[in-house]
Amino acid sequence: VRGVETGAIRAMANLGYADKNRKTYFEQYNYAISQATEPGSTFKLATMMALLEDNKVSLDSEIDIEKGEKSFADGEVTVKDSNPLSRRWNKISVRQAFEQSSNVAMAKLADSLYRAGEFSARLQSFHLNEKTGLELEGEAQPMVNDTSSSTWSGISNAWLSFGYESRMTPLQMLTFFNAVANGGKMMKPFLVDEVCREGRTEKKYKPTVLDQQ
């Protein structure tokens, strides 16, 4: 069986620009495992998991998204929703906020419901700051900002909530999504089933659980 239950990778493809004019593409670098960047809105699933598991909210809780724009840090920083529908809304449910990918909702919830360091520690408990251990060389080191860093500030909880002040590869983010799809069991992603020589199996690889729940 291949899929969420095993962590086996079905396919991996990487396209980058082959020329400076960005008109042609070429598979020349394994971005999936080697390039750690800010994951952006895909990270909101981790925020929602933290909020729900810590009993901070329910899916039916209400959040005022203030028509998609909110100031933080005494007005020094403004968070905006890219979704044009947000301009019409004030109070919506947490479920709707996630469905509509509201930056303001995630930022307000993380900023108001978690103390400094508490939120990042919760995110790190999901192994989001750990390598997957894939058998290929070159896996980038992920990062979730925390209070030990010189870059931590009063806006960090809000920024983390929608995918900033963090870095991870597409495969690392996918490993987390796979765990959610797998009922909470996090599996190590892998590519090789077995190594053979002259028709005989020298080594077999079995699915590996990184975290039971």
Side-chain angles (χ1 to χ4, degrees):
V1 178
R2 289 183 176 268
V4 297
E5 299 91 351
T6 67
I9 296 171
R10 290 178 177 270
M12 187 183 296
N14 296 272
L15 288 177
Y17 293 117
D19 61 80
K20 62 182 180 180
N21 296 320
R22 298 189 173 191
K23 292 184 178 180
T24 57
Y25 301 90
F26 189 74
E27 190 166 8
Q28 56 191 345
Y29 185 76
N30 198 327
Y31 300 101
I33 68 169
S34 298
Q35 188 172 72
T37 60
E38 290 180 322
S41 287
T42 59
F43 201 75
K44 289 173 184 168
L45 178 63
T47 298
M48 283 295 296
M49 292 295 295
L51 290 165
L52 293 171
E53 290 195 357
D54 291 340
N55 295 315
K56 302 288 188 182
V57 298
S58 71
L59 289 176
D60 295 323
S61 300
E62 286 194 333
I63 174 72
D64 185 356
I65 64 167
E66 304 182 36
K67 296 188 177 180
E69 187 169 328
K70 168 68 176 174
S71 294
F72 292 85
D74 297 323
E76 292 183 16
V77 178
T78 300
V79 173
K80 295 182 180 181
D81 284 353
S82 58
N83 186 348
L85 292 176
S86 292
R87 309 294 179 267
R88 311 175 193 170
W89 295 333
N90 284 311
K91 287 187 177 181
I92 60 174
S93 70
V94 169
R95 182 194 302 272
Q96 289 173 309
F98 182 65
E99 290 171 347
Q100 300 298 329
S101 194
S102 171
N103 294 338
V104 172
M106 298 299 119
K108 286 185 70 173
L109 290 169
D111 184 65
S112 64
L113 297 177
Y114 286 96
R115 296 187 299 273
E118 186 183 26
F119 184 49
S120 59
R122 192 69 174 97
L123 295 172
Q124 289 176 0
S125 76
F126 296 144
H127 308 284
L128 293 170
N129 62 327
E130 301 170 20
K131 292 183 179 181
T132 66
L134 186 73
E135 63 265 38
L136 291 181
E137 298 238 347
E139 181 178 9
Q141 177 66 50
M143 182 277 290
V144 174
N145 201 15
D146 59 32
T147 53
S148 69
S149 168
S150 62
T151 62
W152 182 268
S153 71
I155 193 65
S156 290
N157 272 0
W159 245 225
L160 277 169
S161 72
F162 56 96
Y164 293 91
E165 297 201 19
S166 59
R167 289 192 308 272
M168 54 202 61
T169 68
L171 184 61
Q172 289 158 356
M173 194 75 250
L174 183 59
T175 299
F176 175 71
F177 271 73
N178 191 79
V180 175
N182 195 31
K185 182 184 289 187
M186 181 172 281
M187 304 300 297
K188 176 183 175 181
F190 71 98
L191 288 159
V192 179
D193 286 315
E194 59 183 324
V195 176
C196 298
R197 186 182 299 275
E198 296 179 354
R200 291 181 295 185
T201 299
E202 289 196 342
K203 187 172 183 180
K204 286 188 71 71
Y205 293 87
K206 295 181 179 180
T208 301
V209 179
L210 296 177
D211 195 328
Q212 280 287 348
Q213 192 65 42

